[in-house]
């Protein structure tokens, strides 16, 4: 019995020694000389439409519309045709793209005040034309406004959802135009596309907002949003509508405010009086023109030579070689300050 126990112990000792030797061999690996990894610059972001956008916070981007003397869009220009000036100093163009490849995040801001009662069907029709004319890759949301402003359809690329939301709108109350534009500016910033625009449709002036035009203009200038506005006149059906306690209120489209918002952001404002005269539908025509313009614009970008973070307003001028052409873009931007991001 003792002999068997000694033999078993001997076997276990030998096995332990062999196992340790095998483990030590397994842990020893030859050292392979490998090159040190190199740090590559952050690659550009490529969207599904092959739009390349550098992720750089210092890059100032702007949308430019080029029109010839006959009012036709010119979408055939190249990067060398453009020159950008900031506060009079020439800048080096670092980014260039054409509108047909740039998807847009869009907001429709729809007046549903009482004065729209006899016009709402025509404006609904114009929105339908607009929605069907923009690029299929564009995303759209809908804001309605009367006494207040309300988001009635969030961002979607489903055109039927937008049209159903438009068809459900009912005219009533006053006109909170400035609050509606503010809501639109806030909402469109949440869009997934870098290019952003608002289409405002109204037949009146602001009668209900708690903020003024200057506040909205300041927000618009600080945004990266193009504002288009259709001001619907009252020539064909009158401007009087019922107000509080059935009183009669006079409502006149405020083109001064609409033009100020459009000019500050590089968009356009249309005054549409007698919109259905001579068998034409000028509201539809204007809406389709806005959709066409969005597809024929240029996206330009540059790194400003002035690197001061002082929060000051920087004036922008864009010129093209062909002096017979007219360029429309935003008038400038607010530089970043030490505590806030660039506007």
């Amino acid at each position: 019995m003792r002999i068997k126990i000694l033999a078993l112990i001997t076997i276990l000792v030998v096995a332990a020694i062999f196992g340790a030797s095998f483990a030590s061999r397994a842990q020893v690996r030859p050292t392979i000389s490998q090159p040190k990894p190199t740090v590559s610059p952050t690659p550009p972001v490529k969207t599904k439409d092959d739009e390349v956008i550098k992720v750089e916070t210092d890059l100032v981007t702007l949308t430019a519309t080029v029109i010839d003397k006959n009012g036709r869009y010119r979408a055939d220009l190249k990067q060398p045709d453009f020159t950008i000036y900031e506060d009079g100093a020439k800048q080096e163009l670092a980014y260039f793209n054409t509108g047909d490849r740039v998807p847009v995040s869009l907001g429709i801001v729809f007046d549903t005040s009482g004065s729209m009662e006899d016009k709402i069907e025509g404006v609904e029709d114009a929105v339908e034309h607009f929605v069907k004319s923009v690029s299929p890759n564009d995303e759209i949301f809908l804001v309605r406004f009367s006494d207040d402003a309300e988001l009635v359809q969030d961002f979607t690329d489903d055109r039927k959802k937008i049209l159903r939301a438009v068809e459900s709108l009912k005219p009533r109350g006053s006109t909170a135009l400035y609050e509606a534009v503010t809501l639109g500016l806030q909402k469109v910033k949440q869009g997934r596309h870098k290019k952003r625009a608002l289409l405002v449709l109204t037949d009146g002036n602001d009668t209900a907002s708690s903020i003024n035009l200057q506040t909205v203009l300041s927000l618009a200038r600080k945004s990266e949003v193009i504002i288009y506005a259709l001001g619907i006149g009252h020539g064909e059906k009158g401007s009087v509508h019922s107000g509080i306690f059935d009183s009669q209120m006079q409502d006149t489209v405020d083109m001064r405010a609409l033009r100020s918002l459009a000019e500050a952001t590089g968009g356009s404002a249309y005054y549409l009086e007698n919109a259905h005269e001579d068998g034409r539908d000028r509201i539809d025509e204007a809406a389709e023109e806005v959709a066409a313009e969005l597809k024929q614009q240029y996206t330009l970008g540059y790194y400003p030579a002035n690197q001061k973070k002082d929060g000051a307003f920087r004036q922008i001028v864009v010129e093209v070689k062909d002096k017979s052409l007219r360029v429309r873009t935003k008038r400038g931007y607010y530089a970043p300050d030490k505590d806030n991001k660039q506007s």
Side-chain angles (χ1 to χ4, degrees), residues 211-327:
I211 55 176
N212 58 30
L213 176 60
Q214 292 306 315
T215 300
V216 183
L217 279 172
S218 178
L219 292 172
R221 292 190 187 102
K222 292 178 180 180
S223 72
E224 294 291 332
V225 181
I226 315 163
I227 298 179
Y228 295 91
L230 306 190
I232 303 162
H234 304 280
E236 58 179 313
K237 294 188 178 179
S239 60
V240 177
H241 65 94
S242 297
I244 300 173
F245 306 119
D246 292 327
S247 62
Q248 297 295 299
M249 299 174 62
Q250 190 76 17
D251 200 3
T252 305
V253 61
D254 186 357
M255 288 307 300
R256 180 184 66 88
L258 298 182
R259 289 191 182 102
S260 296
L261 289 165
E263 290 172 2
T265 59
S268 292
Y270 300 79
Y271 179 52
L272 305 171
E273 186 69 71
N274 300 315
H276 295 92
E277 196 174 53
D278 304 326
R280 294 175 57 187
D281 192 329
R282 291 173 176 80
I283 304 175
D284 283 0
E285 291 173 6
E288 290 175 344
E289 184 173 331
V290 172
E293 179 170 314
L294 288 168
K295 296 177 182 178
Q296 300 182 78
Q297 294 170 318
Y298 302 89
T299 303
L300 312 175
Y302 68 96
Y303 297 99
N306 183 355
Q307 291 293 309
K308 292 181 181 178
K309 291 180 170 54
D310 54 8
F313 186 76
R314 308 278 174 78
Q315 186 178 20
I316 295 175
V317 174
V318 178
E319 296 181 353
V320 291
K321 289 181 179 179
D322 186 343
K323 300 307 178 185
S324 69
L325 302 178
R326 183 169 64 91
V327 182

Side-chain angles (χ1 to χ4, degrees), residues 16-173:
I17 294 171
F18 181 82
S21 174
F22 180 82
S24 65
R25 288 181 185 179
Q27 291 174 357
V28 177
R29 296 182 180 179
T31 302
I32 300 175
S33 178
Q34 295 180 342
K36 294 181 179 180
T38 58
V39 179
S40 301
T42 302
V45 175
K46 183 172 287 189
T47 69
K48 63 183 180 180
D49 300 298
D50 294 329
E51 177 199 3
V52 178
I53 300 173
K54 287 187 177 180
V55 184
E56 299 280 359
T57 56
D58 290 335
L59 183 70
V60 175
T61 58
L62 55 148
T63 300
T65 305
V66 181
I67 302 171
D68 67 17
K69 60 184 179 181
N70 297 315
R72 294 189 295 260
Y73 297 113
R74 284 289 301 274
D76 58 344
L77 302 184
K78 307 299 181 185
Q79 181 168 333
D81 293 315
F82 290 87
T83 305
I84 300 177
Y85 297 91
E86 179 182 294
D87 289 340
K90 185 177 179 180
Q91 308 293 310
E92 183 177 351
L93 192 58
Y95 177 78
F96 176 86
N97 208 340
T98 53
D100 59 337
R101 294 178 55 198
V102 181
V104 188
S105 294
L106 288 166
I108 298 173
V109 182
F110 196 118
D111 185 349
T112 58
S113 61
S115 62
M116 287 288 291
E117 186 170 3
D118 55 1
K119 310 177 189 70
I120 197 164
E121 289 185 6
V123 179
E124 287 175 353
D125 185 58
V127 170
E128 181 176 356
H129 279 76
F130 176 76
V131 166
K132 291 180 178 179
S133 298
V134 296
S135 170
N137 294 321
D138 295 343
E139 57 175 359
I140 307 173
F141 68 89
L142 177 67
V143 167
R144 69 114 202 113
F145 66 98
S146 54
D147 295 322
D148 57 4
E150 177 189 11
L151 177 70
V152 292
Q153 174 59 57
D154 208 338
F155 275 116
T156 180
D157 55 9
D158 185 340
R159 304 307 190 239
K160 291 181 180 179
K161 283 186 177 181
I162 292 291
L163 296 179
R164 283 197 297 266
V166 169
E167 290 171 0
S168 69
L169 299 178
K170 305 297 181 185
R172 60 175 177 78

